[in-house]
PDB file of all heavy atoms in Angstrom:
ATOM      1  N   VAL A 206    -170.803  57.906-153.586  1.00  0.00           N
ATOM      2  CA  VAL A 206    -171.031  57.284-152.277  1.00  0.00           C
ATOM      3  C   VAL A 206    -169.745  56.576-151.852  1.00  0.00           C
ATOM      4  O   VAL A 206    -169.260  55.682-152.543  1.00  0.00           O
ATOM      5  CB  VAL A 206    -172.213  56.291-152.321  1.00  0.00           C
ATOM      6  CG1 VAL A 206    -172.435  55.670-150.946  1.00  0.00           C
ATOM      7  CG2 VAL A 206    -173.487  56.986-152.796  1.00  0.00           C
ATOM      8  N   ALA A 207    -169.185  57.009-150.734  1.00  0.00           N
ATOM      9  CA  ALA A 207    -167.980  56.367-150.193  1.00  0.00           C
ATOM     10  C   ALA A 207    -168.381  55.509-148.990  1.00  0.00           C
ATOM     11  O   ALA A 207    -169.428  55.719-148.393  1.00  0.00           O
ATOM     12  CB  ALA A 207    -166.985  57.444-149.773  1.00  0.00           C
ATOM     13  N   HIS A 208    -167.547  54.539-148.666  1.00  0.00           N
ATOM     14  CA  HIS A 208    -167.900  53.620-147.580  1.00  0.00           C
ATOM     15  C   HIS A 208    -166.652  52.985-146.980  1.00  0.00           C
ATOM     16  O   HIS A 208    -165.523  53.408-147.296  1.00  0.00           O
ATOM     17  CB  HIS A 208    -168.884  52.552-148.095  1.00  0.00           C
ATOM     18  CG  HIS A 208    -168.445  51.931-149.385  1.00  0.00           C
ATOM     19  ND1 HIS A 208    -167.509  50.933-149.423  1.00  0.00           N
ATOM     20  CD2 HIS A 208    -168.770  52.218-150.660  1.00  0.00           C
ATOM     21  CE1 HIS A 208    -167.293  50.599-150.680  1.00  0.00           C
ATOM     22  NE2 HIS A 208    -168.046  51.373-151.460  1.00  0.00           N
ATOM     23  N   SER A 209    -166.855  51.971-146.156  1.00  0.00           N
ATOM     24  CA  SER A 209    -165.722  51.405-145.403  1.00  0.00           C
ATOM     25  C   SER A 209    -164.648  50.779-146.301  1.00  0.00           C
ATOM     26  O   SER A 209    -163.518  50.589-145.877  1.00  0.00           O
ATOM     27  CB  SER A 209    -166.238  50.377-144.405  1.00  0.00           C
ATOM     28  OG  SER A 209    -166.977  49.400-145.080  1.00  0.00           O
ATOM     29  N   LYS A 210    -165.007  50.427-147.533  1.00  0.00           N
ATOM     30  CA  LYS A 210    -164.018  49.783-148.414  1.00  0.00           C
ATOM     31  C   LYS A 210    -163.471  50.761-149.461  1.00  0.00           C
ATOM     32  O   LYS A 210    -162.780  50.352-150.394  1.00  0.00           O
ATOM     33  CB  LYS A 210    -164.648  48.582-149.147  1.00  0.00           C
ATOM     34  CG  LYS A 210    -165.323  47.564-148.233  1.00  0.00           C
ATOM     35  CD  LYS A 210    -164.307  46.747-147.442  1.00  0.00           C
ATOM     36  CE  LYS A 210    -164.958  45.690-146.588  1.00  0.00           C
ATOM     37  NZ  LYS A 210    -165.723  46.191-145.435  1.00  0.00           N
ATOM     38  N   THR A 211    -163.787  52.030-149.327  1.00  0.00           N
ATOM     39  CA  THR A 211    -163.351  53.024-150.314  1.00  0.00           C
ATOM     40  C   THR A 211    -161.876  53.372-150.103  1.00  0.00           C
ATOM     41  O   THR A 211    -161.467  53.678-148.977  1.00  0.00           O
ATOM     42  CB  THR A 211    -164.222  54.304-150.181  1.00  0.00           C
ATOM     43  OG1 THR A 211    -165.575  53.945-150.433  1.00  0.00           O
ATOM     44  CG2 THR A 211    -163.788  55.381-151.155  1.00  0.00           C
ATOM     45  N   ASP A 212    -161.116  53.313-151.197  1.00  0.00           N
ATOM     46  CA  ASP A 212    -159.712  53.770-151.136  1.00  0.00           C
ATOM     47  C   ASP A 212    -159.681  55.284-151.261  1.00  0.00           C
ATOM     48  O   ASP A 212    -160.538  55.865-151.919  1.00  0.00           O
ATOM     49  CB  ASP A 212    -158.925  53.178-152.318  1.00  0.00           C
ATOM     50  CG  ASP A 212    -158.552  51.723-152.052  1.00  0.00           C
ATOM     51  OD1 ASP A 212    -158.471  51.347-150.864  1.00  0.00           O
ATOM     52  OD2 ASP A 212    -158.380  50.979-153.030  1.00  0.00           O
ATOM     53  N   ASN A 213    -158.672  55.901-150.686  1.00  0.00           N
ATOM     54  CA  ASN A 213    -158.452  57.343-150.827  1.00  0.00           C
ATOM     55  C   ASN A 213    -159.698  58.141-150.440  1.00  0.00           C
ATOM     56  O   ASN A 213    -160.121  59.069-151.129  1.00  0.00           O
ATOM     57  CB  ASN A 213    -158.058  57.647-152.297  1.00  0.00           C
ATOM     58  CG  ASN A 213    -157.723  59.108-152.496  1.00  0.00           C
ATOM     59  OD1 ASN A 213    -157.300  59.796-151.564  1.00  0.00           O
ATOM     60  ND2 ASN A 213    -157.943  59.616-153.700  1.00  0.00           N
ATOM     61  N   ILE A 214    -160.292  57.769-149.301  1.00  0.00           N
ATOM     62  CA  ILE A 214    -161.566  58.398-148.922  1.00  0.00           C
ATOM     63  C   ILE A 214    -161.395  59.890-148.617  1.00  0.00           C
ATOM     64  O   ILE A 214    -162.282  60.690-148.912  1.00  0.00           O
ATOM     65  CB  ILE A 214    -162.220  57.620-147.747  1.00  0.00           C
ATOM     66  CG1 ILE A 214    -163.689  57.994-147.625  1.00  0.00           C
ATOM     67  CG2 ILE A 214    -161.501  57.838-146.434  1.00  0.00           C
ATOM     68  CD1 ILE A 214    -164.506  56.997-146.853  1.00  0.00           C
ATOM     69  N   ASP A 215    -160.234  60.266-148.081  1.00  0.00           N
ATOM     70  CA  ASP A 215    -160.042  61.697-147.793  1.00  0.00           C
ATOM     71  C   ASP A 215    -159.961  62.490-149.100  1.00  0.00           C
ATOM     72  O   ASP A 215    -160.530  63.579-149.213  1.00  0.00           O
ATOM     73  CB  ASP A 215    -158.823  61.937-146.895  1.00  0.00           C
ATOM     74  CG  ASP A 215    -157.565  61.246-147.386  1.00  0.00           C
ATOM     75  OD1 ASP A 215    -157.696  60.221-148.084  1.00  0.00           O
ATOM     76  OD2 ASP A 215    -156.461  61.725-147.095  1.00  0.00           O
ATOM     77  N   GLY A 216    -159.272  61.905-150.102  1.00  0.00           N
ATOM     78  CA  GLY A 216    -159.166  62.583-151.406  1.00  0.00           C
ATOM     79  C   GLY A 216    -160.526  62.703-152.071  1.00  0.00           C
ATOM     80  O   GLY A 216    -160.871  63.751-152.628  1.00  0.00           O
ATOM     81  N   ILE A 217    -161.334  61.631-152.007  1.00  0.00           N
ATOM     82  CA  ILE A 217    -162.678  61.667-152.610  1.00  0.00           C
ATOM     83  C   ILE A 217    -163.551  62.688-151.875  1.00  0.00           C
ATOM     84  O   ILE A 217    -164.256  63.475-152.498  1.00  0.00           O
ATOM     85  CB  ILE A 217    -163.303  60.255-152.592  1.00  0.00           C
ATOM     86  CG1 ILE A 217    -162.574  59.394-153.611  1.00  0.00           C
ATOM     87  CG2 ILE A 217    -164.803  60.288-152.875  1.00  0.00           C
ATOM     88  CD1 ILE A 217    -162.917  57.945-153.580  1.00  0.00           C
ATOM     89  N   SER A 218    -163.459  62.693-150.556  1.00  0.00           N
ATOM     90  CA  SER A 218    -164.254  63.653-149.767  1.00  0.00           C
ATOM     91  C   SER A 218    -163.892  65.087-150.148  1.00  0.00           C
ATOM     92  O   SER A 218    -164.762  65.965-150.171  1.00  0.00           O
ATOM     93  CB  SER A 218    -164.010  63.454-148.270  1.00  0.00           C
ATOM     94  OG  SER A 218    -164.380  62.156-147.903  1.00  0.00           O
ATOM     95  N   ARG A 219    -162.613  65.295-150.437  1.00  0.00           N
ATOM     96  CA  ARG A 219    -162.136  66.658-150.767  1.00  0.00           C
ATOM     97  C   ARG A 219    -162.679  67.165-152.109  1.00  0.00           C
ATOM     98  O   ARG A 219    -162.555  68.340-152.406  1.00  0.00           O
ATOM     99  CB  ARG A 219    -160.598  66.677-150.801  1.00  0.00           C
ATOM    100  CG  ARG A 219    -160.005  67.485-149.679  1.00  0.00           C
ATOM    101  CD  ARG A 219    -158.512  67.699-149.758  1.00  0.00           C
ATOM    102  NE  ARG A 219    -157.726  66.758-150.481  1.00  0.00           N
ATOM    103  CZ  ARG A 219    -157.132  65.680-149.969  1.00  0.00           C
ATOM    104  NH1 ARG A 219    -157.246  65.397-148.671  1.00  0.00           N
ATOM    105  NH2 ARG A 219    -156.406  64.886-150.719  1.00  0.00           N
ATOM    106  N   THR A 220    -163.307  66.276-152.899  1.00  0.00           N
ATOM    107  CA  THR A 220    -163.905  66.749-154.156  1.00  0.00           C
ATOM    108  C   THR A 220    -165.315  67.300-153.924  1.00  0.00           C
ATOM    109  O   THR A 220    -165.941  67.817-154.840  1.00  0.00           O
ATOM    110  CB  THR A 220    -164.019  65.600-155.201  1.00  0.00           C
ATOM    111  OG1 THR A 220    -164.947  64.632-154.697  1.00  0.00           O
ATOM    112  CG2 THR A 220    -162.677  64.953-155.491  1.00  0.00           C
TER     113      THR A 220
END
Side-chain angles (χ1 to χ4, degrees):
V206 181
H208 48 81
S209 56
K210 307 288 183 290
T211 299
D212 282 335
N213 184 27
I214 197 161
D215 50 334
I217 289 171
S218 300
R219 248 188 335 268
T220 65

